[in-house]
Amino acid sequence: MHQRQLFLNHLAQTSDFPLALEIEKAEGIWLYSPDGKAYMDLISGIGVSNVGHRHPKVVQAIKHQVDHYLHTLVYGEYVQAPQVLLAQALVETLAAYHTPSGYAIDNVYLTNSGTEAVEGAMKLAKRFTGRTEIISCFNAYHGSTQGALSLAGADFFKRQFRPLLPDIRHIHHGVLADLSNITRRTAAVVIEVISAESGIRVPSQEYLQALRDRCTETGTLLIFDEIQTGFGRTGSFWAFEQFGVVPDVLLSAKGMGGGMPIGAFMAPQPLMAVFKNNPILGHITTFGGHPVSAAASLATLRTIQEENLCASVAAKAELFKKYLVHPRIKEIRNQGLMMAVEFADFGELKAIIDHGIENGVVTDWFLFCDNSMRIAPPLTITEDEIRQACDVILRAIEAV
């Protein structure tokens, strides 16, 4: 059988219409099929390949770690250099920021994925505050495991899996009036700094500051989900830096691993310490912070810093907006290289996306905004590549 047929026969599918692109090699912003056709990846594997596919420094770090050891013991028991050095580097990116209580975010719990980071943070909030209510936003997505899915702000994804976690409430992202729903019953508010799956909705600084103030007033933990926005995506290492509002707990994944699976939730040590007792081993994982993934993540972090990738993000975003001008484009929303290009409806957008893929440019849409095209390329994309990508998209618009 051909690989495509084996894929359809034996890999569990999540829709009746998978893209089913067969990729044999990837490098930089490019994906290559077995017959040599090149595809420009304008979505970075959904926010993962911030430093590009197979960045040489990431590959080198992976090979170096493989030559030393793989899994040794469950998370948190052995001193493993890749984990320790990664945690130190992550903490250093946060050294200038303190929570309203005066704490530094200096403790890192490494996970396998973003949804596991969300799960860990939910447990941390309940255990630290002794409360059960958790608030998230409508049209937000935080993962598909049952706790993270409970936070999802659209019933479409949840209704067939109920009952989910009780005591979950929802507010509208960016709406000041909804902040009164945060009370002394609320353990945590889990919120994206930039609302991603609703089509890149950027809140005001006033809103985020009011959210911070309300959480502080009620003793509620503010958890920023930077699973999509972290590691330079918006033009600063963390998106919250652009708003001057510091969370109590920070979540990361996706772009964190340079293509390897890893996530983290980070908090001040006095918060994270609650997992040590009552019960002991309050949160455990076997493969969280796998040494190969941790080595890849550290190389990714250092690459972003050493190559100063954040500095060019805003200018590259402006190039997309300069070249993507067409009467059928209704609006372009963005924070750095996290972009939504809005069209009339899903039918039009889907046809444009399909035409673009046929001609070598991969884009996507958003879970809760299916009339907007997702553009989130590797931060390493060049001006010539941006021009080339936009030309293909504009030709796709004309063709459909």
Side-chain angles (χ1 to χ4, degrees), residues 95 97-106 212 216 246-248 268-271:
Y97 307 101
H98 290 77
T99 70
S101 300
Y103 295 127
I105 299 175
D106 60 359
R212 172 69 275 179
T216 302
V246 181
D248 299 295
Q269 196 168 124
L271 272 70

Side-chain angles (χ1 to χ4, degrees), residues 28 39 45 72 133 144 185 206 222 252 306 324 350 363 368 396:
Y39 298 89
T72 54
E133 179 182 86
S144 282
R185 288 193 64 253
E206 176 192 18
L222 177 57
S252 183
E306 292 166 3
L324 285 178
K350 182 65 165 60
T363 59
F368 309 123

Side-chain angles (χ1 to χ4, degrees), residues 367-386:
L367 289 178
F368 309 123
C369 186
D370 65 5
N371 68 335
S372 292
M373 175 185 288
R374 183 197 307 268
I375 294 180
L379 309 183
T380 55
I381 193 170
T382 67
E383 180 173 353
D384 286 344
E385 289 165 339
I386 292 171

Side-chain angles (χ1 to χ4, degrees), residues 72 82 105 153 191 193 238 277 317 339 356 366:
T72 54
I105 299 175
I191 188 170
V193 180
W238 304 108
N277 54 69
M339 312 186 78
F366 297 91

